Amino acid sequence: MITDEAKTVEELREQCSVYAQLLEKVQGLLLEAQAQISTLEKECDRYGLHVSRQDEEITRLRRDCPSAGSTASSGEAKHSPEITELAAENDRLRQRLSDLNEYLEITRADGKRFYL
């Protein structure tokens, strides 16, 4: 009976050791995830700043380009290729920013499991 108790204690110690190793691994993964979330937050801020700057540039270009507000004979607005290109890039960045913000909301939610 003493042998069985000693064996049980040894098995429990081994299990504790395994769990401790798993806990360390999970803590490492959580630290990595936090670093990735921090990086994504910075990227969102950078995208937001870039989008704001492009909005200002689009506004400036429209103001400086006399044909930007006029309409063509077909009823479509005339825009310089530069304005159109900036607007398209701005739309892509806005979508990327929206996607990143949605991802961050999901991963920062209390009690949520997330995978990177």
Side-chain angles (χ1 to χ4, degrees), residues 33 36 103 106-107 112-116:
Q36 288 180 349
Y103 176 78
I106 291 169
T107 59
K112 296 280 184 174
R113 293 183 180 159
F114 56 93
Y115 305 93
L116 299 175

Side-chain angles (χ1 to χ4, degrees), residues 4-108:
D4 290 339
E5 286 180 20
K7 184 177 180 184
T8 303
V9 169
E10 186 58 36
E11 287 175 352
L12 290 173
R13 285 185 180 156
E14 287 176 20
Q15 284 179 342
C16 286
S17 177
V18 169
Y19 288 136
Q21 290 172 353
L22 287 174
L23 181 60
E24 285 179 28
K25 185 177 181 179
V26 168
Q27 287 173 335
L29 292 172
L30 284 174
L31 287 175
E32 287 177 24
Q34 288 173 339
Q36 288 180 349
I37 288 171
S38 177
T39 300
L40 287 173
E41 287 173 335
K42 289 176 186 174
E43 191 174 337
C44 283
D45 292 343
R46 189 173 51 86
Y47 276 139
L49 181 62
H50 186 68
V51 167
S52 294
R53 287 181 183 156
Q54 283 194 317
D55 281 339
E56 292 170 5
E57 183 67 9
I58 289 169
T59 301
R60 185 192 63 78
L61 287 170
R62 284 186 176 147
R63 184 180 57 240
D64 293 348
C65 182
S67 65
S70 65
T71 56
S73 59
S74 65
E76 296 178 9
K78 290 183 183 178
H79 294 289
S80 73
E82 189 176 358
I83 291 175
T84 304
E85 184 180 323
L86 282 173
E89 183 179 353
N90 212 14
D91 288 342
R92 286 190 303 272
L93 287 172
R94 283 183 193 279
Q95 183 59 48
R96 177 74 174 140
L97 184 61
S98 173
D99 293 345
L100 286 171
N101 278 324
E102 181 180 342
Y103 176 78
L104 287 172
E105 281 181 28
I106 291 169
T107 59
R108 283 187 272 182

